[in-house]
Amino acid sequence: MIQVKQQPNHKNFSFILDELFTSLPQTLVRESKATSQIPPANINETNDGYHLELLVPGRNKEDFKVSIEKDLLTVSFENKSEAENKDFKTIRKEFGFPNFSRSFHLDEKVNADGILAKYENGVLKFFLPKKEEVKVSPKQIAIQ
């Protein structure tokens, strides 16, 4: 017969750690996460332009701010605080959406006036069209 001897301090130690982390102010935990999280991006190129995608699930399109200044496309999100409900008290809040700001350099090939954006299924998608003179079109060369 094999017996497993439980260490008496093991249970107490995990309980102490649990208590420590549950007693931390949640704003402190949230702020530490918010400083290091920026949404991941994909950038693809076609003959007509560039496709930029940011993975930002769980938000509303109205919450994003998109601006172009000089040759910099900036996308930002600021979490709006929700009004507290007087009927119940939140004991623990572990999920939320951190604020972020992410900028992308636009080169001279992009037609900034034609940029389109849409938010669908948690992905913020941009189409950055190329200027007409930059578009690469295949050219056939006749052999004589």
Side-chain angles (χ1 to χ4, degrees), residues 22-70:
T22 57
S23 66
L24 280 176
Q26 291 303 309
T27 55
L28 177 65
V29 174
R30 230 181 335 195
E31 286 173 1
S32 66
K33 290 179 185 175
T35 57
S36 64
Q37 291 183 353
I38 58 169
N42 291 334
I43 302 173
N44 299 298
E45 181 180 6
T46 62
N47 286 339
D48 295 328
Y50 301 93
H51 298 267
L52 168 65
E53 299 176 330
L54 294 172
L55 183 62
V56 285
R59 295 162 174 102
N60 296 312
K61 67 180 183 178
E62 297 82 19
D63 296 334
F64 296 105
K65 180 181 176 191
V66 180
S67 62
I68 298 176
E69 188 174 334
K70 295 184 182 180

Side-chain angles (χ1 to χ4, degrees), residues 45-51 107-112 114-116 127-139:
E45 181 180 6
T46 62
N47 286 339
D48 295 328
Y50 301 93
H51 298 267
D107 66 15
E108 66 277 352
K109 297 177 186 177
V110 174
N111 176 7
I115 294 176
L116 303 173
F127 175 67
L128 300 96
K130 290 181 181 177
K131 293 180 180 174
E132 286 298 319
E133 63 271 7
V134 179
K135 289 184 183 177
V136 179
S137 56
K139 181 179 179 182

Side-chain angles (χ1 to χ4, degrees), residues 66-131:
V66 180
S67 62
I68 298 176
E69 188 174 334
K70 295 184 182 180
D71 59 348
L72 209 59
L73 172 71
T74 302
V75 181
S76 59
F77 169 81
E78 188 170 330
N79 200 0
K80 298 173 184 157
S81 59
E82 299 174 11
E84 285 191 30
N85 189 339
K86 304 263 187 226
D87 295 335
F88 64 92
K89 177 182 172 185
T90 302
I91 304 299
R92 184 177 187 142
K93 184 170 181 166
E94 291 189 351
F95 63 89
F97 302 111
N99 299 338
F100 74 84
S101 180
R102 185 148 189 203
S103 297
F104 299 90
H105 174 74
L106 303 177
D107 66 15
E108 66 277 352
K109 297 177 186 177
V110 174
N111 176 7
D113 295 329
I115 294 176
L116 303 173
K118 69 177 175 179
Y119 182 66
E120 112 185 314
N121 297 327
V123 179
L124 185 57
K125 299 178 181 185
F126 294 92
F127 175 67
L128 300 96
K130 290 181 181 177
K131 293 180 180 174

